[in-house]
C-alpha cells in the first residue's frame, strides 16, 4: 500500500477511518482522565509559571524603586487623580518601602529593565522551534522552564549587585521562556488527536491567562506584606516544582511513554496514522513565503497580539488613571479579565471540538468563525470603552468581556498552523512568536506616544487604532485562511508498505 501525494489529510478525513472510530469509542469513556489531558494540565502549569515570571517584575517594580509616583498626564484636566486616590498611592508605596530595600532607578532605567525580557525574544523563537521539532520538545520545554525559574530566584540578588547584571539576567530569562512557549507545540503534533487538538491546546494555553490573573491578584499584596523579593522566590519556586512534573511525565511520543494505557495509545496512534507528523529536517522556505494561508495566520497573529500586549501592559494603568483607584485595587480589578479569559479559552476549545466531532461545521468554518467573534466583539467594546469611563462597573465589565471574546481566537487562527503544517509546527510556532514579539514591541510604545500627546483623547485613539488593526487582520485571514494540509508540508518521499 502506498501513500500518494494527492491525499488530502485533513482533520475531517481522519475521523472517517474505521479503526479510528473504534479507538475513539474505546477512549471516549475516559474523558478528562486520559493521560493526554494530564499532559495538557502539566503544560498548563508550565505556562502558568512562565507568565507569572514574565509579569512579576512589572508588579514588583513600584515597590523596588525610590521616589515612585503616578505619572503626570499633560492636558489631562478630566483625568487628574483625586486627592483620595493620591493618598492611596502614597500609603501603598509607604507600605512597600517599609518591608524591602529600594533602588534609585530613573524611569528610563526602569523601562530598559522591563523591556529587557524581550531583547533576545526576536531571534530565539525560530531556532528554538526548529530544534524542538528535530530533537524533541520534552527537554527543550523542561530546560527552558528550569532556567527561567532559577533565574527568577536570583533576581533580588541581581538587583542588589547592579542594573547591568539584572538586565543580562532578564535577557537570558526571556530566551529561556521562549523555549517553553515555542517548544511545547511539538508535543501536540504526536499527542493530540485531530478532533481533540483545539481542546488540549486550549487547556494548556489557559495557564498563561491564569498566571496573569494570579500575579496581578496577589503580587501587590505580597509586596506590601512580606516584601517584594518574595514575589520572585515564591513564583520561581513554583516553576522549579513544575520541572519535577515535566521531566518524568512528559514524553515526545505516546508510543514510548511507560505509563499510558494501551487503549489510549492505540487511539492516539490510529487518529494520526494518515497524518505525517514527523518533523522535517529541511525547511521549504520558498514555498512557505509563497503560502497565503500561512501569511493569513501570521498577519492575524500580529494583529491579535497587538491588542493582547496593550491589554497585558496597560490594563492596570488604565484602571488606576481613568478610574482613579489605588495600586492594590488596580491589581485586583486588572486580574478579573484574566481569570474570565482563562475560563473562556477552555470553554472555546471544548465548543470547537464539539462542533467538529459532531460534524456540525467544517474545520475551516470553525477556525474563521471563532476568529471573527474573537476579533469583532472586543473591537466593538474597545471603540465604546472611552465613552463609559464615568462608570466603574461598566468599564470593568467591558474589559472582562473584551478578554473573554479575545480568548476565542485560541480556537481559531492562533492554532490554525497545526492544521496546515503539523510537520513544521515548532518552526511555525517560533515564526509566529517573532510576529507576536514585534507587535509587543510596537504597540506599548504607540500607546505611550498617544497618551503623552493628549491624555483625554489618547486612550480613544489607542482603542480606535487597535480595533482598526484587528479588523484588517481579520479580513486578511477570512480571505486567505485555510485548514487544509499544505502541499509543502507533506512528506516529499513516500514509503511503500507491504
Amino acid at each position: 500500500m502506498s501513500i500518494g501525494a494527492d491525499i488530502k489529510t485533513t482533520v475531517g478525513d481522519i475521523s472517517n477511518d474505521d479503526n479510528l472510530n473504534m479507538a475513539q469509542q474505546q477512549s471516549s469513556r475516559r474523558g478528562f482522565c486520559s493521560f493526554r489531558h494530564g499532559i495538557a494540565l502539566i503544560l498548563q502549569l508550565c505556562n502558568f509559571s512562565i507568565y507569572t515570571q514574565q509579569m512579576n517584575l512589572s508588579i514588583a517594580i513600584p515597590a523596588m524603586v525610590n521616589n515612585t509616583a503616578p505619572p503626570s498626564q499633560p492636558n489631562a484636566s478630566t483625568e487628574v487623580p483625586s486627592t483620595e486616590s493620591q493618598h492611596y498611592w502614597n500609603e501603598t508605596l509607604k507600605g512597600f518601602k517599609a518591608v524591602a530595600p529600594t533602588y534609585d532607578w530613573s524611569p528610563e532605567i526602569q523601562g530598559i529593565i522591563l523591556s529587557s525580557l524581550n531583547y533576545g525574544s526576536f531571534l530565539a523563537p525560530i531556532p528554538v522551534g526548529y530544534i524542538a521539532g528535530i530533537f524533541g520538545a520534552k527537554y527543550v520545554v523542561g530546560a527552558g522552564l528550569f532556567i527561567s525559574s532559577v533565574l527568577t530566584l536570583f533576581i533580588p540578588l541581581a538587583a542588589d549587585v547592579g542594573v547591568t547584571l539584572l538586565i543580562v539576567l532578564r535577557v537570558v530569562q526571556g530566551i529561556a521562556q521562549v523555549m517553553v512557549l515555542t517548544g511545547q507545540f511539538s508535543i501536540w503534533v504526536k499527542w493530540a488527536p485531530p478532533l481533540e487538538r483545539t481542546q488540549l491546546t486550549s487547556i494548556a494555553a489557559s495557564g498563561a491567562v491564569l498566571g496573569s490573573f494570579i500575579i496581578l491578584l496577589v503580587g501587590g499584596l505580597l509586596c506590601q506584606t512580606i516584601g517584594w523579593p518574595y514575589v520572585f522566590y515564591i513564583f520561581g519556586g513554583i516553576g522549579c516544582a513544575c520541572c519535577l512534573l515535566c521531566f518524568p511525565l512528559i514524553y515526545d511520543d505516546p508510543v514510548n511513554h511507560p505509563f499510558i494505557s494501551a487503549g489510549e495509545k492505540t487511539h492516539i496512534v490510529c487518529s494520526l496514522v494518515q497524518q505525517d507528523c514527523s518533523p522535517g529536517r529541511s525547511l521549504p522556505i520558498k514555498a512557505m513565503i509563497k503560502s497565503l494561508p500561512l501569511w493569513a495566520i501570521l498577519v492575524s497573529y500580529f494583529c491579535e497580539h497587538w491588542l493582547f500586549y496593550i491589554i497585558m501592559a496597560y490594563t492596570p494603568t488604565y484602571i488606576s488613571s481613568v478610574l482613579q483607584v489605588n495600586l492594590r485595587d488596580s491589581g485586583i480589578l486588572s486580574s478579573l479579565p484574566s481569570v474570565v479569559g482563562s475560563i473562556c479559552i477552555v470553554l472555546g476549545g471544548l465548543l470547537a471540538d464539539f462542533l467538529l466531532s459532531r460534524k456540525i461545521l467544517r474545520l475551516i468554518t470553525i477556525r474563521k468563525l471563532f476568529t471573527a467573534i474573537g476579533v469583532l466583539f472586543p473591537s466593538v467594546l474597545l471603540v465604546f470603552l472611552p465613552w463609559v469611563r464615568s462608570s466603574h462597573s461598566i468599564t470593568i465589565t467591558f474589559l472582562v468581556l473584551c478578554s473573554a471574546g479575545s480568548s476565542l481566537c485560541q480556537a481559531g487562527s492562533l492554532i490554525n498552523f497545526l492544521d496546515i503544517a503539523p510537520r513544521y509546527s515548532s518552526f511555525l510556532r517560533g515564526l509566529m512568536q517573532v510576529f507576536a514579539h514585534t507587535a509587543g514591541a510596537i504597540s506599548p510604545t504607540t500607546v505611550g506616544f498617544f497618551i503623552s500627546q493628549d491624555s483625554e483623547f489618547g486612550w480613544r485613539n489607542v482603542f480606535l487604532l487597535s480595533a482598526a488593526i484587528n479588523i484588517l487582520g481579520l479580513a486578511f485571514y477570512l480571505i486567505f485562511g485555510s485548514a487544509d494540509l499544505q502541499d509543502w508540508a507533506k512528506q516529499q518521499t513516500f514509503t511503500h508498505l507491504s
Side-chain angles (χ1 to χ4, degrees):
M1 181 178 69
S2 64
I3 302 176
D6 58 338
I7 293 179
K8 299 293 184 181
T9 313
T10 61
V11 174
D13 296 332
I14 294 175
S15 63
N16 294 325
D17 186 86
D18 293 336
N19 293 332
L20 173 59
N21 290 333
M22 184 178 299
Q24 284 176 332
Q25 293 173 2
Q26 294 174 350
S27 180
S28 61
R29 293 191 294 268
R30 296 181 61 86
F32 286 95
C33 295
S34 65
F35 207 90
R36 59 190 180 275
H37 284 91
I39 289 182
L41 292 176
I42 294 175
L43 290 177
Q44 181 191 55
L45 193 56
C46 292
N47 288 326
F48 168 87
S49 298
I50 287 298
Y51 270 78
T52 57
Q53 293 168 19
Q54 279 190 352
M55 299 185 64
N56 53 16
L57 188 60
S58 299
I59 299 299
I61 202 167
M64 299 171 67
V65 179
N66 271 324
N67 303 318
T68 307
S72 61
Q73 301 290 349
N75 306 320
S77 57
T78 62
E79 292 188 10
V80 174
S82 64
T83 303
E84 182 181 3
S85 176
Q86 185 66 49
H87 174 71
Y88 285 153
W89 273 94
N90 293 336
E91 289 300 317
T92 300
L93 296 173
K94 186 184 299 181
F96 285 164
K97 295 175 183 178
V99 295
T102 56
Y103 308 99
D104 295 321
W105 293 339
S106 67
E108 291 79 11
I109 294 297
Q110 295 178 48
I112 294 174
I113 293 173
L114 289 172
S115 62
S116 60
L117 194 67
N118 295 316
Y119 287 170
S121 300
F122 290 98
L123 302 178
I126 293 179
V128 166
Y130 183 73
I131 292 173
I134 297 299
F135 298 104
K138 171 183 177 177
Y139 294 106
V140 172
V141 173
L145 179 59
F146 180 74
I147 294 172
S148 178
S149 301
V150 171
L151 292 178
T152 299
L153 296 174
F154 282 96
I155 284 180
L157 178 61
D160 276 336
V161 172
V163 172
T164 302
L165 179 60
L166 179 59
I167 292 175
V168 171
L169 185 148
R170 293 268 294 172
V171 171
V172 178
Q173 187 182 30
I175 296 175
Q177 291 175 358
V178 168
M179 294 170 62
V180 179
L181 299 176
T182 301
Q184 63 183 273
F185 282 87
S186 287
I187 295 174
W188 294 125
V189 174
K190 294 186 178 180
W191 272 95
L195 296 182
E196 302 174 16
R197 181 175 291 157
T198 307
Q199 174 192 140
L200 292 170
T201 56
S202 296
I203 292 174
S206 65
V209 187
L210 184 61
S212 302
F213 162 70
I214 294 298
I215 193 66
L216 287 170
L217 182 65
V218 305
L221 182 62
L222 290 174
C223 291
Q224 196 168 9
T225 54
I226 61 178
W228 62 261
Y230 286 90
V231 175
F232 303 99
Y233 297 149
I234 291 174
F235 291 103
I238 292 175
C240 292
C242 291
C243 296
L244 301 178
L245 295 175
C246 182
F247 282 111
L249 295 180
I250 293 181
Y251 278 66
D252 294 320
D253 195 327
V255 175
N256 301 321
H257 204 290
F259 305 131
I260 190 173
S261 66
E264 184 178 3
K265 185 186 298 184
T266 301
H267 167 59
I268 296 174
V269 172
C270 289
S271 68
L272 300 173
V273 67
Q274 297 185 39
Q275 179 171 292
D276 178 29
C277 297
S278 59
R281 293 182 179 271
S282 61
L283 296 172
I285 298 296
K286 184 180 297 186
M288 289 181 178
I289 294 176
K290 296 179 180 179
S291 176
L292 285 177
L294 176 57
W295 277 107
I297 295 172
L298 295 176
V299 171
S300 177
Y301 208 80
F302 174 89
C303 295
E304 289 162 21
H305 276 76
W306 178 284
L307 176 60
F308 171 78
Y309 279 104
I310 290 177
I311 292 176
M312 186 173 68
Y314 280 96
T315 295
T317 301
Y318 184 79
I319 291 176
S320 63
S321 63
V322 175
L323 302 187
Q324 300 181 358
V325 298
N326 62 65
L327 186 62
R328 180 193 59 196
D329 293 342
S330 175
I332 295 174
L333 293 175
S334 299
S335 67
L336 296 179
S338 298
V339 69
V340 174
S342 66
I343 296 173
C344 291
I345 285 178
V346 177
L347 295 179
L350 292 173
L351 178 60
D353 282 342
F354 173 80
L355 296 174
L356 182 62
S357 62
R358 298 300 179 90
K359 299 182 180 179
I360 298 175
L361 296 174
R362 295 189 305 122
L363 179 60
I364 185 57
T365 305
I366 293 173
R367 297 290 185 243
K368 291 185 176 181
L369 175 63
F370 277 67
T371 303
I373 297 175
V375 169
L376 291 176
F377 184 59
S379 297
V380 172
L381 293 176
L382 284 177
V383 170
F384 288 99
L385 190 60
W387 278 271
V388 298
R389 63 184 181 181
S390 59
S391 172
H392 289 199
S393 59
I394 296 179
T395 298
I396 297 300
T397 300
F398 272 35
L399 290 173
V400 169
L401 292 176
C402 182
S403 177
S406 298
S407 66
L408 296 180
C409 292
Q410 182 62 40
S413 60
L414 299 185
I415 197 178
N416 196 190
F417 70 101
L418 287 177
D419 304 320
I420 68 171
R423 293 184 68 216
Y424 304 106
S425 59
S426 290
F427 174 80
L428 294 181
R429 174 63 178 176
L431 182 61
M432 292 161 62
Q433 286 293 102
V434 172
F435 277 73
H437 289 303
T438 303
I442 299 174
S443 59
T445 305
T446 305
V447 173
F449 173 78
F450 278 123
I451 296 176
S452 65
Q453 294 296 311
D454 190 327
S455 61
E456 182 176 356
F457 296 100
W459 287 110
R460 185 181 307 175
N461 295 334
V462 167
F463 296 141
L464 287 173
L465 178 62
S466 299
I469 290 175
N470 270 267
I471 292 174
L472 288 175
L474 173 64
F476 192 87
Y477 179 75
L478 293 178
I479 295 172
F480 298 108
S482 173
D484 295 330
L485 183 67
Q486 300 299 293
D487 292 336
W488 48 267
K490 297 177 181 177
Q491 185 71 35
Q492 300 302 314
T493 58
F494 301 94
T495 304
H496 292 269
L497 304 177
S498 56

